[in-house]
Structures are given as structure tokens and as C-alpha cells.
Amino acid sequence: MRKLYLIILMAVCSVMLLADNTPLQGTPIGSSPSVDYSNNSASTTTNLPANVFDGNLDTYYASYQRSYTWVGLDLGTPHVITRVGWSPRNDGVGPNRVKLAVIEGANRSDFLDAVPLYLIDQAGIIGEMQYADIAVSKGFRYVRYVGPSDTRCNIAELAFYGTPGEGDESQFYLPSGLPLVIINTEDAVEPYDKEHDIPSYVRIIDTDNTYVMDEATSRLRGNASTQFPKKPYRIKFESKQQPLDATAKAKKWTLINNYGDKTLMRNLLAFHISQQMGMPYTPYGRAVDVMLNGEYKGCYQLCDQIEVNKNRVNIDEMETSDISGENLTGGYLWEIDAYAYEEKSWFTSNHNIPVTIKSPDEDEITPEQTNYLKNYFNQMESDVYGVDFADEVKGWRRLLDENTFLTHFLIGELSGNTDTYWSVYQYKKRGNEKIYTGPVWDFDIAFDNDYRTYPLNNKSEFVCLSGGSVAGDMGNFVRRIIIQDSKTIPQLKQIWGNARNSGITEEDLCMWIDSLAMEIDHSQTLNFMRWDILNKQEHMNPVARGSFANEVNYLKEYIAKRIQWMDKRLGYTHTDVQQPIFIDEGFEVWDILGRPIYRGKELPVLDRGLYIVKHNGKTEIITINY
């Protein structure tokens, strides 16, 4: 019996060894046409897909098109891939042509359901096969090698190893360890403008291998950022999804490209500051890798779409029937927007401030709603420009919520965002006369990343009043409130003092930056392999610092100096927030990060700052001002 057992075991091991060392066989498939280098023309007879499975390192496949081209196998039935091998074309640039190539598996012949098996991050070796073990648990019928962008798919030899089977979806591949967003479009059409939605399949894989996948559409998004080689995208799922650790369940999500921000984190840092400073809503953001139709696109930021949603801008969503009475009063979401003239639903105020109406949607808003919002905005504006503008009852505070406007201003100034008043979101709730400012948005040229104002900390005045970009007359609008109203600076000092006591310190912010830099370190390496710009001044860069580490270090240096600048400009000292107070029994209290401070009968002593308080079944954020 023991001898029979050993024979069976040896047979099983032999089969396993054979499976691991014998390349899988299938029908060669690939992009067509190929290229005939003898006359540099399209061909269907030379350099074909079969050449990469012939065991000959001197033959090769070469696509005619330069991007989104591929070669692979139809295995006939699904196989769980355990190992892949490749060798570059034998020519002068062949080794580098494999860098950032992506190896994928799919069960649809159009690869709409494709997921990556491996990303090659090193140059190849001519005349040698290189191999990588694969740890994806799902089985695939179709496997392919997608060439890097703008190189033509050139490869001498490919090999796939594995075992037959459907597998499961318990294990996926993440190129850098960050979550991964995979966009595959019908007919591999690359999104090309902001108007045309391309039918797509989108899968978002988290670091714990959980994922969402749904039919979707994809298109470009943004304004100036659409002109960069690294494109920004908007995806819209067929049904509402809640990817990763996002707070909202929604159809629309954005992928921010951060092309000119070589730290890849300025937007996320600004969002962190917004949360620390207690803005009612801060957009969700998470660093991710993005692949589009098999090409690695870089390190992006998966982010909320700014829209009406109970976990985004939480206001009533207008219906076309809301044209009178209290229903007509809200909710409205709009953007003071230098690009408003490019939109369909927009107006210019009496003082030449351009406004894009975001909600109600441009295809659903009624004339009554447009007129109401335009008139209400003009009323608020007239209070700002009026002779009684500083009066606490009749002035700008009558309709413009001072806390959100001033907090939004301080976030823009701490970050040194020259675009603060180039693009400003605001909203109005139903039955509420106040106009609220926020959420914060668009910080890729903030934190001293704009040559027009660099070095920012050498200036004596606020950036929005000394070189910042403004939409229409927003410069004078802000000057009236911030400079010409004598009561504003003391209020700013109070808000700033609260913030300094709740996490806006050099130590806390630099620790946060270091933590994110470690998290995205592998991704940034791949990103700047894809976009070789660390030694170039791109977009508004004042300086090219040559490395990711240098960019991050400068960001921390800026933060340290800017906090000191803000303290001096606002006349703040740390003793301004040390006066303790008591809170009555019956409250539950957390700090702004959600860490419990107090429950029960013992009375806590709270410094000045922002706190989350629950009492009588209600939860709210309070500010301790004294």
C-alpha cells in the first residue's frame, strides 16, 4: 500500500511539474494589422501574433498602431494562470518596449472584463525569457500582453502557464499595492472629450480584494487638466456604487490626474485640512492606480463628484415641479466659475461674476428656478457691495454664511491656492436664507506650486488678493469682506485658533504627508516611469526638483513656513486657545477625528476647538470659542 501511495504521489507531482513548466497552448490572437518594417506599412502577412508562440526569440510580433495594441492566446477554456514569461524584440529599443506592459486575463473576447495579471516594471533582456509568478485566483479563457503606450506592441516571445478551471474572485493583482481602478471601453475607444460618454465596464479593486464592478460610462472631465497628456476621467456607473471606503453611494465618480502636482497629494492634503477645520462636507478622496484598456495610466485620486447627495452636498434635490413657494427656495448647487461660458446652464451676476448652475441639472432646470437663483445670488452680491456691507444685520452676513465662507477662505490661504476664487462651490438649502460656501476643490497648483506667486511665503498679503486667479469680479468681492470689514479679521483669527487647536500644526500635517508618501511610494515610481516629468517644469511648476522625495520635502517646508505666516498675519498665539470650559452632563463628546473624549457623568474640560457632540438623539459639530 505504501509503495502504491508513493507511485500515485510521484505521478501527481509529475503532472503538477509538467503543468508548471509546459506553456499553455491556444489560438494566437492580437491587434490587426501588424507592421511590415521593410516598408513601414500595415501588413497581415508578417510579424504576426503566432510569432510570439513559436519558441524562436529571433521572430516577433509588431502592431501597426502605436497604442492600445496587444497579442495573446485564446485558450479555449478558462485557466488559472500561475506564471507568465516574456522576451523583448531583438533590436536597439526592444528592452525598454516592455516596461509598463500589462499582462491581462479575460473571459470575453472583447476584453471588457479584463483584469491585470502582472505589470512589467523593468526593461527586458534580449535573447532571454523573464518570468513572474501570478497570484490571481480567477480562471481566464483569453490572456494577452498589452504593449506600453506609443511604442507599438513589440514582443519576441510570450509564455503562459497554469491549470484548467474557473477559479474564483478571492485574489486579484494590484500593481503598486494601492487600490486599482480598471476601465475597459467598448471597442477600446479612449475617452476624448467631456460631452461623449463611452460605454465601459469599470472594476475598482480594494487592497483587501473586495471590489465593485458594473456597466458604466467614461469620459474626460475638468477644464485645463484635460489638455495634459495624463488625462482626468469621470466614470458613471449604471447603478449606485460605494467603492473602497467612500462615504457616498453614488453613480458618478471622478479620477483626478494631478499631472502638474509631482507630490500627487496636494488635493488630498487640502481635503484633510478641510476636515480638520470642520467644513460641513469635504469631498472623499483616495490615491489609486488606473488602467484603461490594458494601459497603465498612473497614480490618480478617486474622488467624489461634486453633486447633490445625502453624503455629498446634502440638500434637497429639485424637481421640475418645484417652481413656487418654499419648494422654489432650494436646494441649489452652483460654482463661481471662470469657465462658466463653456457650460450650458450659467449666468453672469450684476457685478460680473460668472456662475455655473450645477443642480438642478442643465437638462432639467426650469426658467423659474434659474431666475430665482440668479436673483438670489444678486441680492447676496448687492449686500457685499452695498454701503451697509459691514452691518451685521443688513450687510453681507445677512445672506452669506460667514463661517463657511471664512473657513473656506482660510483653507485657500493656508494651502496658498491661487485658484481659490477661480472656482468656488456654493449651495443653498430649501427654506434656509443662507448661502453656504464649499466644498473645497482643485488644489493641484496650491502649496507653492504656481510660478506666478512663488515663493508665496515671501508675500505680505493674502494670496487671493495678491496674484491669485479670480473669476470675474471675485477679487473685489473678497476684498470687501476680508479687508474692508473691520470685524472680519478677528473672526478669522478665532476660526484659525480653533483649527490650530484641532490638528492644524506643522507636526500633524507633516506626519500626515509622510504617511501618505509611504503609502503611494511604489505607485509614484510607476507613475513617473509612465510620465517622465520630474526634471521638467510642467503646467504652473515654479521649479522642477528632480525627485518625488524632493517634491514631498518642499511641501513640508512650505507647510511649516505657511503656518508661521498665517499665525503672524492673523495675530494668533497659542495661548489664544487655552481657556478651558465645562460641558453639562448628558452629552457624548468626540474630537473632530471621531475619538471619544467624554461619555457619562464626569464633566470634561475642553479647550477651544471643534468637537462632535451627541445630545438628545442629535449629532452635530460644535465650536468652542472661549
Side-chain angles (χ1 to χ4, degrees), residues 72-86:
L73 286 175
D74 175 357
L75 299 173
T77 59
H79 286 66
V80 176
I81 305 302
T82 57
R83 194 172 182 229
V84 295
W86 64 92

Side-chain angles (χ1 to χ4, degrees), residues 304-405:
D304 281 346
Q305 170 87 7
I306 305 303
E307 64 177 359
V308 175
N309 180 297
K310 68 178 182 179
N311 286 308
R312 289 177 173 171
V313 179
N314 188 11
I315 58 177
D316 289 291
E317 191 160 5
M318 300 287 284
E319 305 289 342
T320 54
S321 58
D322 295 330
I323 58 175
S324 64
E326 184 174 284
N327 285 4
L328 183 59
T329 67
Y332 296 95
L333 170 65
W334 64 92
E335 179 186 6
I336 296 170
D337 178 14
Y339 293 103
Y341 63 91
E342 297 180 1
E343 306 294 337
K344 294 180 181 178
S345 182
W346 69 286
F347 63 87
T348 301
S349 72
N350 290 340
H351 284 267
N352 194 37
I353 293 176
V355 176
T356 297
I357 303 173
K358 295 293 186 177
S359 184
D361 186 77
E362 61 188 23
D363 297 325
E364 298 178 355
I365 193 168
T366 69
E368 293 87 350
Q369 293 165 352
T370 299
N371 290 334
Y372 175 86
L373 177 54
K374 182 176 181 179
N375 291 335
Y376 205 87
F377 188 93
N378 281 326
Q379 288 180 38
M380 178 273 291
E381 185 185 70
S382 68
D383 288 346
V384 173
Y385 287 90
V387 293
D388 295 320
F389 78 100
D391 186 275
E392 293 194 11
V393 176
K394 296 182 290 184
W396 65 268
R397 294 173 181 83
R398 181 175 73 95
L399 299 182
L400 185 60
D401 177 69
E402 64 178 342
N403 187 59
T404 54
F405 185 85

Side-chain angles (χ1 to χ4, degrees), residues 141 168 176 226 360 371 386 395 415 553 588:
R141 173 177 171 175
D168 59 44
S176 76
T226 63
N371 290 334
S415 65
N553 286 336
E588 296 180 17

Side-chain angles (χ1 to χ4, degrees), residues 224-339:
S225 60
T226 63
Q227 306 305 311
F228 301 146
K230 181 185 179 185
K231 302 297 184 185
Y233 304 106
R234 192 208 72 175
I235 54 178
K236 182 181 179 182
F237 288 109
E238 186 71 22
S239 58
K240 290 184 177 180
Q241 301 288 347
Q242 190 170 5
L244 308 180
D245 55 346
T247 54
K249 189 173 185 179
K251 293 183 178 182
K252 297 178 183 178
W253 299 85
T254 64
L255 287 164
I256 310 299
N257 50 346
N258 293 324
Y259 181 70
D261 171 16
K262 295 169 188 173
T263 69
L264 302 169
M265 67 172 73
R266 280 177 164 86
N267 275 299
L268 292 174
L269 175 58
F271 290 177
H272 173 71
I273 291 170
S274 173
Q275 290 174 324
Q276 293 292 95
M277 294 189 67
M279 287 291 281
Y281 160 62
T282 297
Y284 168 81
R286 180 84 178 268
V288 297
D289 288 310
V290 172
M291 287 188 178
L292 172 67
N293 294 327
E295 277 194 9
Y296 176 73
K297 291 297 182 181
C299 181
Y300 280 70
Q301 174 186 320
L302 178 68
C303 187
D304 281 346
Q305 170 87 7
I306 305 303
E307 64 177 359
V308 175
N309 180 297
K310 68 178 182 179
N311 286 308
R312 289 177 173 171
V313 179
N314 188 11
I315 58 177
D316 289 291
E317 191 160 5
M318 300 287 284
E319 305 289 342
T320 54
S321 58
D322 295 330
I323 58 175
S324 64
E326 184 174 284
N327 285 4
L328 183 59
T329 67
Y332 296 95
L333 170 65
W334 64 92
E335 179 186 6
I336 296 170
D337 178 14
Y339 293 103

Side-chain angles (χ1 to χ4, degrees), residues 162-232:
T163 57
E166 301 283 345
D168 59 44
E169 298 197 341
S170 63
Q171 183 71 37
F172 290 101
Y173 171 72
L174 301 177
S176 76
L178 288 184
L180 175 64
V181 179
I182 305 164
I183 305 171
N184 293 311
T185 67
E186 285 190 0
D187 300 320
V189 174
E190 185 174 15
Y192 54 91
D193 64 19
K194 298 193 300 180
E195 286 72 44
H196 294 86
D197 291 304
I198 310 299
S200 311
Y201 274 73
V202 175
R203 187 190 291 258
I204 301 176
I205 304 173
D206 205 348
T207 53
D208 61 0
N209 288 296
T210 59
Y211 68 92
V212 298
M213 181 177 177
D214 195 7
E215 293 185 16
T217 60
S218 55
R219 61 171 173 81
L220 299 185
R221 64 156 306 280
N223 292 301
S225 60
T226 63
Q227 306 305 311
F228 301 146
K230 181 185 179 185
K231 302 297 184 185

Side-chain angles (χ1 to χ4, degrees), residues 34-41 43 46-47 60-64 66 89 91 97 151-154:
S34 58
V35 62
D36 183 345
Y37 281 111
S38 66
N39 53 22
N40 206 34
S41 64
S43 174
T46 188
N47 301 330
Y60 58 90
Y61 165 75
S63 64
Y64 182 70
R66 299 195 62 85
R89 175 187 166 197
D91 73 345
R97 279 202 182 107
T151 63
R152 286 184 166 147
C153 182
N154 274 240

